[in-house]
Amino acid sequence: TSPTTIYKNQTFEELFQHEVRNDEGRVANAEYGDTFAVDTGKFTGRSPSDKWLVKNVGSESDANVDWGKVNQPTSPEVFDELYEKAVNYFNTKEKCYVFDGFCGANKKSQRKIRFVHEMAWQQHFVTNMFIRADEESELEGFEPDFTVINACSLVDEDWERHGLNSEVAVVFNVEKKCAVIFGTWYGGENKKGIFSLMNYWLPMENPPQFPMHCSANVGKEGDSALFFGLSGTGKTTLSADPHRALIGDDEHGWDEDGIFNFEGGCYAKTINLTEKTEPDIYRAIHKDAMLENVALKDEGDKLVPDYFDTTKTENGRVSYPIFHIDNYHKPQTAGHPKNIIFLSCDAFGVLPPIAKLTPEQAMYHFISGYTAKVAGTERGITEPVATFSACFGAAFLTLHPTRYAELLKDKLEKHDAKAWIVNSGWSGGPYGVGERMSIKTTRSCVNAILDGTIENTAWEKDPVFGWELPASIPDVDPAVLHPRNTWPDPEEYDAAEKNLAEMYVKNFEKYAGKGDVDYTQFGPKI
């Protein structure tokens, strides 16, 4: 049987024609050009509770994976049954789409990835997000290192018998080099699934390599920098710098040669997007880009994106190839970074706008992965909620977090890189009392790190967190640099700092005694 027609490695134009012909979405008249727009149904984000890894007893992955809530184990028998079901499903289809591409811009550790999809728009998504072959000759004799069969229209009716959590199933088998996806149309499952695998493969290399959930850019002198941070901290905004070239906005590796992008594109949030706030992203939305779960509205005879309408979801997205960014770094690789920046949006108003970390403190804060969010403001709840996500990407860590921390420690020591905390959150009090740090202040802090002017100042040690605070930074009010000075009542600040420090300490208890070094001692002192 099998599909009568297999559309393989279609061009952007061919994919667009298929999308329109198959009625898979609508064409949005974005300001910079027509862009295909899709609706992914009830799943507008990843479904972490439905992601599974096959536990092949006695295998390399069995011994190394950090099994638990993030890496839920399922059996080889369940995978084999689902694999057969997916293959049989595709064998009933008249057509399917196949994309052969690459993950990782450094050829030494690059992985060959094959995606099998039933819809053209999903093929469009992975064509945007993964590294495309420059020449057809690169695909001759293509033998994938991993294959993803995405049968999103199918559900697993036997999920209870299989011991899964729902009829949705995203199942990866490391040893069989294959994954199957059931029941979710969300594009990000394709992207983040492979990222989780890179988080497994790269540290297992000899010598081990460091996979990272971060953005990266590079200056005219070849000086690269990394920006780690959870959603809403400014990772995308701050790495988009008119004076520096963008390497990538989300997933990178760091090996013996330097840093490199995993991806061939960007997957940006569109909520409240304007040309003024995010010019690079806004202007990237044109032909070949693809909108996901973005509201559209009629304006005269046009159907235009409405980035402020979040009725469907606050997680509206756009995917586009990296070359849609004018100021992108074409090699997609760079030398060893000299500066590592941990971004936080602290809604408690405690963290300074900038602080210098020792290598040991960097490990502690990397493992902690802190930011704070304001929850439920629509119901009048204004208390900030602390969020800790190990290595700024806990959902994608296949190994124990301390494995990645050790890799970062080795890199920092070997290449004499400096680590910093930059807070884009509140100053002068918590959310509802203080004010959000201006983007100008945050940008000035980052500029001072990258151009080296931050070294021309005196430093003062914070008695609780132990990091060092600068006395002055160009274009930043010195009073803002010491958060205690910005609060109307310094004693209230001391209480808030103690409270946040206790959250850090409590969160870190689960890492005590793990790995080669216990980094608990480098956290805040209560």
Side-chain angles (χ1 to χ4, degrees):
T1 55
S2 74
T4 312
T5 307
I6 296 175
Y7 295 104
K8 201 168 184 180
N9 295 321
Q10 299 286 281
T11 64
F12 284 114
E13 181 58 38
E14 288 168 337
L15 287 168
F16 180 76
Q17 290 171 6
H18 279 271
E19 289 164 336
V20 172
R21 189 163 62 240
N22 298 345
D23 197 24
E24 295 180 3
R26 298 194 285 176
V27 179
N29 307 122
E31 186 172 346
Y32 284 87
D34 288 354
T35 308
F36 200 74
V38 298
D39 184 317
T40 65
K42 68 178 181 178
F43 285 98
T44 58
R46 289 177 301 100
S47 186
S49 63
D50 295 309
K51 179 185 160 198
W52 303 84
L53 276 176
V54 175
K55 191 174 178 67
N56 293 305
V57 177
S59 67
E60 183 186 71
S61 65
D62 181 25
N64 285 280
V65 167
D66 183 27
W67 299 104
K69 190 176 179 182
V70 172
N71 301 298
Q72 302 177 109
T74 188
S75 71
E77 290 76 20
V78 167
F79 177 82
D80 290 345
E81 202 173 314
L82 291 173
Y83 174 82
E84 185 178 359
K85 184 173 182 173
V87 170
N88 289 342
Y89 174 70
F90 272 97
N91 282 341
T92 67
K93 308 297 288 181
E94 289 185 7
K95 65 177 186 291
C96 74
Y97 298 87
V98 173
F99 170 77
D100 288 342
F102 307 91
C103 187
N106 189 326
K107 302 282 188 186
K108 292 180 183 177
S109 58
Q110 189 177 74
R111 293 304 197 271
K112 298 175 180 177
I113 311 295
R114 171 170 289 165
F115 287 94
V116 181
H117 288 117
E118 52 184 305
M119 282 175 283
W121 79 256
Q122 293 178 323
Q123 200 77 163
H124 185 171
F125 176 82
V126 294
T127 304
N128 278 343
M129 294 310 306
F130 288 84
I131 297 172
R132 300 156 293 277
D134 290 329
E135 307 285 342
E136 280 189 30
S137 59
E138 289 184 60
L139 298 177
E140 288 177 8
F142 188 91
E143 288 291 335
D145 296 306
F146 204 86
T147 299
V148 177
I149 302 175
N150 191 328
C152 61
S153 295
L154 208 57
V155 296
D156 179 17
E157 296 102 337
D158 300 315
W159 63 273
E160 288 175 292
R161 178 172 63 81
H162 288 151
L164 307 184
N165 292 327
S166 80
E167 62 184 10
V168 174
V170 182
V171 188
F172 290 81
N173 192 326
V174 173
E175 273 70 34
K176 287 206 170 177
K177 302 180 179 180
C178 187
V180 290
I181 297 176
F182 288 82
T184 172
W185 291 22
Y186 181 63
E189 295 287 8
N190 299 277
K191 162 184 154 68
K192 287 303 187 185
I194 298 300
F195 180 47
S196 296
L197 288 170
M198 293 296 275
N199 279 329
Y200 174 79
W201 287 323
L202 264 60
M204 306 289 283
E205 295 268 325
N206 185 20
Q209 297 169 20
F210 180 30
M212 306 172 292
H213 188 219
C214 68
S215 59
N217 65 22
V218 61
K220 292 180 174 65
E221 305 300 317
D223 52 310
S224 63
L226 302 176
F227 299 80
F228 289 87
L230 300 173
S231 181
T233 59
K235 182 161 56 94
T236 300
T237 303
L238 292 168
S239 59
D241 186 326
H243 306 295
R244 298 171 65 83
L246 180 72
I247 299 172
D249 76 336
D250 196 42
E251 302 171 8
H252 294 82
W254 188 353
D255 63 11
E256 303 306 297
D257 299 325
I259 60 172
F260 55 95
N261 196 356
F262 283 174
E263 305 184 287
C266 301
Y267 193 38
K269 284 189 173 184
T270 56
I271 183 171
N272 300 335
L273 178 66
T274 67
E275 188 167 14
K276 184 178 179 182
T277 56
E278 299 277 11
D280 287 335
I281 297 172
Y282 189 88
R283 294 168 192 157
I285 302 174
H286 56 77
K287 185 173 175 287
D288 301 345
M290 187 175 67
L291 294 165
E292 218 175 288
N293 300 316
V294 173
L296 303 176
K297 63 182 179 182
D298 292 308
E299 279 190 4
D301 60 348
K302 292 188 173 182
L303 189 64
V304 301
D306 184 354
Y307 304 120
F308 291 85
D309 181 349
T310 56
T311 309
K312 168 78 178 178
T313 178
E314 292 190 355
N315 194 36
R317 296 269 181 167
V318 60
S319 64
Y320 50 85
I322 188 79
F323 57 74
H324 277 208
I325 299 291
D326 291 337
N327 196 30
Y328 88 102
H329 186 57
K330 194 168 184 179
Q332 292 289 276
T333 62
H336 301 287
K338 289 301 178 188
N339 291 291
I340 317 297
I341 298 171
F342 299 146
L343 298 168
S344 176
C345 177
D346 176 32
F348 294 99
V350 168
L351 298 193
I354 185 168
K356 182 162 66 172
L357 304 174
T358 65
E360 293 78 15
Q361 288 171 339
M363 297 309 101
Y364 182 92
H365 289 283
F366 178 63
I367 295 172
S368 296
Y370 166 74
T371 193
K373 296 177 181 177
V374 178
T377 50
E378 71 280 357
R379 292 181 294 145
I381 299 170
T382 57
E383 287 297 311
V385 176
T387 301
F388 293 94
S389 181
C391 311
F392 298 96
F396 319 115
L397 302 183
T398 329
L399 311 178
H400 193 275
T402 54
R403 294 274 292 268
Y404 305 100
E406 294 294 338
L407 288 169
L408 176 58
K409 178 173 176 284
D410 291 344
K411 295 295 185 187
L412 290 177
E413 290 175 351
K414 188 172 182 180
H415 303 291
D416 195 27
K418 293 184 172 66
W420 312 83
I421 288 268
V422 170
N423 171 30
S424 61
W426 273 257
S427 177
Y431 174 87
V433 178
E435 292 185 357
R436 181 84 189 257
M437 213 84 66
S438 74
I439 186 66
K440 181 177 180 292
T441 295
T442 306
R443 180 73 76 183
S444 295
C445 290
V446 170
N447 289 345
I449 292 169
L450 298 180
D451 65 20
T453 54
I454 196 165
E455 301 296 346
N456 307 323
T457 187
W459 298 87
E460 183 180 324
K461 190 173 182 179
D462 182 272
V464 176
F465 278 89
W467 47 42
E468 290 192 276
L469 308 180
S472 64
I473 282 179
D475 303 320
V476 176
D477 179 359
V480 175
L481 296 172
H482 291 249
R484 190 174 190 268
N485 299 339
T486 67
W487 282 52
D489 184 345
E491 290 185 2
E492 283 189 14
Y493 172 81
D494 293 340
E497 185 177 38
K498 182 173 183 289
N499 181 52
L500 181 58
E502 286 172 348
M503 291 186 209
Y504 266 93
V505 170
K506 183 169 179 56
N507 171 70
F508 211 84
E509 286 173 357
K510 56 182 171 283
Y511 304 116
K514 305 277 183 161
D516 294 343
V517 178
D518 186 347
Y519 292 103
T520 308
Q521 58 189 307
F522 303 109
K525 303 289 187 286
I526 302 172

